[in-house]
Amino acid sequence: MSISNTAPVLALDEKKLVPVNGFLRAMADIPPSRMFLINKSLKVYQEKNPSAQTFDASQGDGGASLPGVPKAILERAAQLQIEHGTAYDMPFGTEAYRKAVVEQYWKLDPGAGYGPANVLGTAGGRDALVKAYGAMLALGHGRQGDLIMVSRVPWISYNWGPYGVGANVLWAPGDPAEGWAYSEDAIRASVKFAASKERKIAGLIITNPDNPTGLTITVEKQVSLAKAALEAGVAFVLFDWMYHYVTDEQPMDLNSFLKFFTPKERKRLMFLDGITKSLGGSNVRNCHLIADEAVVKFIVARASHGVIPSFYSLAVAMAAYEMGFSEAAKTIIEPTNASRKVLKGLLMRNEFQHIIGKGYYAFVNVADFVKAKGWADSEPLGQYLAENYGVAIVPGAFFSPFGNEWIRFSYATPPERTEGAFARLVEGLNSLKA
């Protein structure tokens, strides 16, 4: 290179430089998630009622409200860590982890066209999603500012995770009477709406069971929605199956699911799963993303300069897969399934409009109580119930304006705790009409 060492030099050719724009100055402030603060209001109740029991129905964390990862699995993971050592691993994790995901967890048929090279280990679900959003933008239509489509009342981080990496978020049409479920027509209408704004849809997120509503949709419906999206020009469809083991039915079967799609269509699909919910490993931070090999290579190259998953988090998952995942996750799955039955009965007997499918959550309409108090939405209700009645829930207003008259109630607790939490909820709600 003939340039003088005294001259500044750009690292890339000028044609490859990121264009200067005012996006960062103009963008909305990304708020911190209030999910981590909700149960702090319970301390006020505890100070006023030191001997009284409190109930946390806000939790999406089986490691807090249920026993979490069994000790035997943590010990086996520690043994794997000792054997493995503490040197750097690859940005996708390790080959042993990839193999465990394919062979022990999903038990993928070699003929499915998916193998270890299609697996990316990540530091939890948020890390996987942020990496997926970046790939959707770059490998989809190759533009920042395009849209990620989510449900009408999405998980909080679905609103802000895409925005933080240069994607915009589109809430799909949906009817609350149907749990704001996607429809094929709504997907096509969203693509047309995006075009009217001179934008395209880089990705559609299908979460099943859903957070926050708990809505569950059939395999056939998930397939139909994905095909409608791909046919309409959506670049990628991501299936978030983080809760699919927490059910009294069978978990998703990736082998049979893939058979509904052509090899060409599969290149535009992503699958997210992990141990956060079904194993109660929230602070272990392990998740995996399964995608086309080109997508995984794209993400791995960037992850090598960013976030690499820790080996211990991979080892916890491998230890659980080694044991047999259904057996490993019993301490989360069984009490949650039992609580779901209890809660269904309570909601029906008390005549609450509600959504309750599988997973961890019920979404409950509390409009009459909110209006009786003169509140604009359910946000103040969270603090009111926690401080005065010792029960923490999540206001639906936290998720989107379409959840303003709703609350999320977690039943990822033993049945007796769910019954106690519901009794306090009813007592607190009735007080608003007194």
Side-chain angles (χ1 to χ4, degrees):
M1 184 176 289
S2 60
I3 300 174
S4 167
N5 284 334
T6 62
V9 181
L10 291 166
L12 292 174
D13 183 279
E14 290 202 34
K15 293 180 181 178
K16 300 293 184 182
L17 294 181
V18 176
V20 174
N21 60 61
F23 164 63
L24 294 177
R25 189 185 307 111
M27 70 186 297
D29 289 337
I30 295 178
S33 175
R34 290 173 286 184
M35 300 295 291
F36 296 100
L37 304 174
I38 291 165
N39 56 16
K40 292 186 181 297
S41 294
L42 288 174
K43 292 181 179 179
V44 176
Y45 180 84
Q46 290 170 326
E47 290 170 0
K48 293 187 293 186
N49 306 275
S51 61
Q53 193 174 26
T54 60
F55 299 92
D56 193 348
S58 71
Q59 286 290 351
D61 180 1
S65 56
L66 288 168
V69 181
K71 181 180 178 182
I73 291 175
L74 296 175
E75 290 174 339
R76 172 60 178 148
Q79 179 188 353
L80 290 171
Q81 177 79 73
I82 292 167
E83 294 171 358
H84 181 74
T86 56
Y88 268 122
D89 288 311
M90 297 300 290
F92 56 74
T94 68
E95 291 294 351
Y97 172 75
R98 284 177 144 182
K99 190 174 180 182
V101 170
V102 168
E103 296 181 2
Q104 293 179 303
Y105 184 70
W106 287 111
K107 298 179 175 62
L108 285 178
D109 184 337
Y114 282 71
N118 298 97
V119 178
L120 175 79
T122 67
R126 291 176 181 84
D127 179 39
L129 286 166
V130 167
K131 288 170 175 172
Y133 302 144
M136 289 173 173
L137 288 173
L139 302 179
H141 303 293
R143 315 182 323 171
Q144 282 196 313
D146 278 334
L147 307 176
I148 303 295
M149 190 188 335
V150 299
S151 67
R152 203 71 161 176
V153 186
W155 175 46
I156 294 170
S157 294
Y158 282 155
N159 285 326
W160 297 108
Y163 190 61
V165 296
N168 292 296
V169 173
L170 174 68
W171 293 327
D175 183 346
E178 298 175 356
W180 294 279
Y182 290 123
S183 70
E184 293 81 357
D185 286 343
I187 288 171
R188 288 186 281 265
S190 295
V191 171
K192 290 181 180 178
F193 174 82
S196 74
K197 304 296 181 183
E198 298 184 347
R199 299 181 191 273
K200 297 182 179 182
I201 297 181
L204 166 67
I205 311 297
I206 297 176
T207 309
N208 187 65
D210 186 50
N211 177 12
T213 67
L215 181 73
T216 306
I217 56 177
T218 66
V219 167
E220 292 74 17
K221 188 64 173 179
Q222 291 182 69
V223 171
S224 178
L225 293 171
K227 284 184 173 287
L230 297 178
E231 289 167 5
V234 174
F236 289 95
V237 177
L238 185 148
F239 297 92
D240 183 342
W241 288 342
M242 193 68 83
Y243 294 87
H244 76 115
Y245 256 92
V246 190
T247 173
D248 50 12
E249 300 172 351
Q250 291 298 309
M252 294 298 300
D253 178 356
L254 190 52
N255 277 315
S256 60
F257 193 80
L258 288 169
K259 291 177 182 178
F260 290 103
F261 298 92
T262 67
K264 184 177 180 181
E265 289 172 330
R266 292 177 196 175
K267 291 181 179 296
R268 298 165 64 188
L269 303 180
M270 302 183 190
F271 303 91
L272 181 149
D273 198 2
I275 64 172
T276 304
K277 305 301 178 184
S278 50
L279 199 64
S282 294
N283 69 5
V284 175
R285 309 312 302 148
N286 173 264
C287 183
H288 64 261
L289 190 72
I290 294 180
D292 183 66
E293 191 171 343
V295 173
V296 172
K297 285 182 177 179
F298 174 90
I299 296 174
V300 166
R302 282 149 182 78
S304 68
H305 304 288
V307 178
I308 298 174
S310 74
F311 178 78
Y312 186 75
S313 70
L314 307 176
V316 172
M318 286 191 288
Y321 301 160
E322 183 179 78
M323 177 184 286
F325 198 73
S326 293
E327 178 65 26
K330 267 186 178 180
T331 54
I332 301 296
I333 296 169
E334 290 184 352
T336 305
N337 285 347
S339 278
R340 187 182 305 114
K341 292 178 182 177
V342 168
L343 184 59
K344 279 183 178 180
L346 292 169
L347 288 166
M348 293 294 290
R349 285 196 294 276
N350 286 270
E351 298 183 343
F352 280 102
Q353 181 189 1
H354 65 277
I355 304 162
I356 183 168
K358 306 297 178 181
Y360 272 19
Y361 312 117
F363 217 51
V364 184
N365 190 319
V366 292
D368 289 348
F369 303 98
V370 169
K371 290 173 184 174
K373 191 65 176 177
W375 289 328
D377 56 46
S378 60
E379 180 172 353
L381 183 60
Q383 185 175 350
Y384 176 81
L385 290 172
E387 293 184 358
N388 296 285
Y389 289 89
V391 58
I393 52 83
V394 183
F398 282 11
F399 301 102
S400 84
F402 300 98
N404 279 350
E405 297 180 340
W406 299 71
I407 60 169
R408 190 187 80 175
F409 185 99
S410 172
Y411 53 85
T413 57
E416 63 274 13
R417 298 284 299 174
T418 297
E419 288 179 326
F422 187 82
R424 289 283 184 87
L425 171 66
V426 172
E427 184 184 0
L429 290 175
N430 286 335
S431 73
L432 298 175
K433 289 186 172 182

